[in-house]
Amino acid sequence: MNSDYDVIIIGGGASGLMCASKLNKIDPSIRVLILEKNSKPGRKLLATGNGRCNFTNLKIFSSYYNTDDTKKLSKILYSYDAKKIIDYFDKDLGVVPAYKDDLVYPITYQSKTVVDALCSSLSASKFIYDTEVTSVVKKDMKYVVNGIYSAFYVVIACGGVSLPQSGSDGSLYPVLRSFSGPDSFERLVPSLVSLRSPDKDIKKLSGIRQECEVHMDSRSEKGEILFTDNGVSGICVMQLSGMYNRAVSSGKKIGSLYIDLIPSMNEKQKLDKVRSLIRSFPNRSKADAISGLIKKPLAECIVARSDNTAEDIARLIGRFEIRICGSNGFENAQVTSGGLKLHNVTDGLELKSCHGLFVCGEVLNVDGICGGFNLHWAWASAMTVADAIADEFEEV
Ligand SMILES: Cc1cc2nc3c(=O)[nH]c(=O)nc-3n(C[C@H](O)[C@H](O)[C@H](O)COP(=O)(O)OP(=O)(O)OC[C@H]3O[C@@H](n4cnc5c(N)ncnc54)[C@H](O)[C@@H]3O)c2cc1C
């Protein structure tokens, strides 16, 4: 078996597949090898968007991401904006886009369509599955991977550590650190994850969804909250989870989040409504009386927490406290916040300290909010790497 290639890509997930696809498109004579520890490509990609793959967003801005180098991130997002990514999927891969507001999906609403289309574009690449990379060594001008495969260029596309059962479990991080240095990583914390609460009374609310506005520290998010067996979830909570985990891991105390359960009403309107409902139905319990305003289990929880006055009930509807004691960890997170700092790589995402070693996707210290931003980063960073490597071939 041939063990000598031009480029070795470690990881056959979103960014690894896209990097190979773009390299193949630019120059099919570049010999690309993809090494993947799973027996199939794109395992996490298949799980995205509940199997529907929200692959980008029409409003890609660097302000929707967390990173250590916004300038470098902006440059990459400017070069590979939503239009360029949608065009690549549509015209080069044959994946027809569908739009839900700003969110972009394949029109089949199946992530398998995206994985299949990427794989079909890789006729000039070789795939080796069931191969976990455990060593990368630089020998003279080349890199030797697992003591067998060699290439002038290596792309690390091994993902973050979220949903480790998908294959991205950080197993390659020590290898990457051996090239990038001990302080090159931003601390890893789970992001886009549900939060845990010690509050016993909210257990009864498990399964309830409520449109609301959630406030945590100085940030707030509007959207649907979902009460769970051990706390709260829903997109608005997940959007705040990265900020929560980063703050807590750096020693800051954030004890609670506060929910406005009816953000469409101001304080006075809430109080007037609660008062009038209690007055209109004097023979009902207070929770029953307001259950046309607030779902019954929530109404019961609020009344039980209140001093039984209309004023306190209305106040709690506008500021329902949920104490938070952590998140549900990397096992349940959609993305990893932290990773190799952008500061340590060039604009082409090559390690500054190591010529020929490139990095793309979630392993870098870039994480976005829900809505297609994280896959967009996987594609944009992968294309940036492919361009940079192709430029090197042109120079030779
Ligand atoms: C449940 C869920 C839903 C999501 N939904 C969306 C969504 O709708 N929209 C969105 O934008 N983002 C979504 N994301 C985030 C998105 O999936 C990731 O940001 C994206 O997959 C990251 O791409 P990547 O290539 O960096 O890593 P991955 O896709 O994780 O790929 C990394 C690959 O490297 C392989 N690998 C790791 N270590 C080694 C090794 N040592 N040797 C060989 N191979 C290795 C892994 O097996 C894996 O196949 C979701 C994530 C989850 C968990």
Side-chain angles (χ1 to χ4, degrees):
M1 185 174 55
N2 179 24
S3 59
D4 189 48
Y5 294 85
D6 296 318
V7 183
I8 295 175
I9 298 175
I10 305 172
S15 63
L17 293 174
M18 178 55 89
C19 187
S21 172
K22 189 81 201 297
L23 275 171
N24 279 195
K25 181 176 182 263
I26 300 172
D27 183 352
S29 73
I30 297 176
R31 298 166 306 147
V32 179
L33 170 68
I34 304 166
L35 295 172
E36 167 57 50
K37 72 193 314 200
N38 288 327
S39 54
K40 284 193 283 194
R43 202 155 148 196
K44 186 182 284 180
L45 187 49
L46 287 170
T48 58
N50 281 328
R52 291 148 40 110
C53 190
N54 169 204
F55 70 89
T56 185
N57 191 293
L58 294 178
K59 295 208 178 96
I60 295 288
F61 298 114
S62 56
S63 53
Y64 293 134
Y65 292 87
N66 168 64
T67 183
D68 59 285
D69 192 338
T70 307
K71 210 169 145 196
K72 199 170 283 162
L73 171 66
S74 302
K75 252 188 181 172
I76 292 173
L77 297 178
Y78 183 75
S79 298
Y80 282 105
D81 58 10
K83 187 178 177 318
K84 285 223 178 87
I85 298 299
I86 294 167
D87 275 357
Y88 191 83
F89 273 97
D90 193 1
K91 301 193 176 118
D92 293 285
L93 299 178
V95 176
V96 179
Y99 303 89
K100 287 208 158 179
D101 301 322
D102 293 329
L103 280 60
V104 190
Y105 295 84
I107 202 163
T108 58
Y109 288 98
Q110 272 200 327
S111 43
K112 191 169 179 306
T113 304
V114 171
V115 175
D116 289 348
L118 281 165
C119 290
S120 299
S121 71
L122 303 182
S123 51
S125 298
K126 180 163 173 58
F127 246 114
I128 300 183
Y129 296 111
D130 298 313
T131 301
E132 175 166 354
V133 172
T134 52
S135 84
V136 179
V137 176
K138 191 153 193 194
K139 259 194 186 160
D140 304 324
M141 298 289 283
K142 286 197 167 183
Y143 290 92
V144 179
V145 176
N146 279 3
I148 305 171
Y149 311 103
S150 61
F152 284 109
Y153 303 102
V154 165
V155 180
I156 294 193
C158 65
V161 296
S162 57
L163 202 73
Q165 60 272 34
S166 70
S168 358
D169 57 3
S171 58
L172 201 66
Y173 283 28
V175 173
L176 177 55
R177 255 201 202 99
S178 70
F179 289 100
S180 61
D183 300 325
S184 54
F185 271 62
E186 192 65 53
R187 196 195 311 241
L188 308 179
V189 296
S191 188
L192 304 188
V193 63
S194 49
L195 297 176
R196 286 187 289 116
S197 171
D199 291 342
K200 298 257 179 332
D201 59 346
I202 67 160
K203 282 203 186 310
K204 285 178 254 162
L205 306 178
S206 181
I208 289 183
R209 294 173 187 275
Q210 174 78 25
E211 282 299 322
C212 64
E213 184 167 323
V214 181
H215 301 267
M216 184 187 260
D217 207 26
S218 57
R219 275 187 55 187
S220 59
E221 286 286 336
K222 271 191 177 162
E224 190 183 74
I225 196 167
L226 168 66
F227 291 90
T228 65
D229 284 345
N230 71 1
V232 278
S233 184
I235 288 181
C236 56
V237 169
M238 287 164 68
Q239 305 283 41
L240 295 168
S241 62
M243 179 272 290
Y244 171 81
N245 279 326
R246 284 190 296 276
V248 169
S249 83
S250 62
K252 188 170 170 183
K253 200 171 175 316
I254 299 181
S256 298
L257 57 77
Y258 298 89
I259 311 173
D260 183 345
L261 292 161
I262 313 181
S264 57
M265 288 185 176
N266 64 28
E267 273 177 44
K268 184 175 177 314
Q269 288 168 325
K270 284 183 184 95
L271 180 56
D272 288 348
K273 195 41 105 183
V274 169
R275 268 190 187 138
S276 90
L277 286 167
I278 291 173
R279 261 190 226 123
S280 303
F281 304 105
N283 297 328
R284 295 186 192 172
S285 71
K286 294 218 168 67
D288 269 339
I290 63 165
S291 64
L293 177 69
I294 281 280
K295 287 171 187 155
K296 181 90 177 281
L298 260 171
E300 283 169 344
C301 187
I302 286 167
V303 171
R305 282 188 183 191
S306 76
D307 64 9
N308 236 358
T309 61
E311 288 73 15
D312 207 33
I313 291 169
R315 180 188 65 79
L316 286 166
I317 291 173
R319 200 170 155 80
F320 186 70
E321 179 179 6
I322 297 186
R323 287 180 302 147
I324 297 298
C325 59
S327 78
N328 282 316
F330 286 115
E331 288 74 19
N332 300 290
Q334 287 198 6
V335 76
T336 307
S337 181
L340 182 73
K341 291 178 197 163
L342 277 193
H343 172 72
N344 292 296
V345 289
T346 64
D347 287 353
L349 301 180
E350 183 178 20
L351 264 193
K352 283 179 182 169
S353 58
C354 209
H355 179 65
L357 195 57
F358 290 82
V359 190
C360 57
E362 198 177 320
V363 61
L364 283 158
N365 178 32
V366 177
D367 60 286
I369 59 172
C370 290
F373 295 88
N374 289 298
L375 280 175
H376 185 95
W377 169 246
W379 317 132
S381 59
M383 289 185 169
T384 302
V385 167
D387 285 343
I389 294 178
D391 282 351
E392 299 249 344
F393 277 93
E394 255 179 31
E395 280 167 23
V396 174

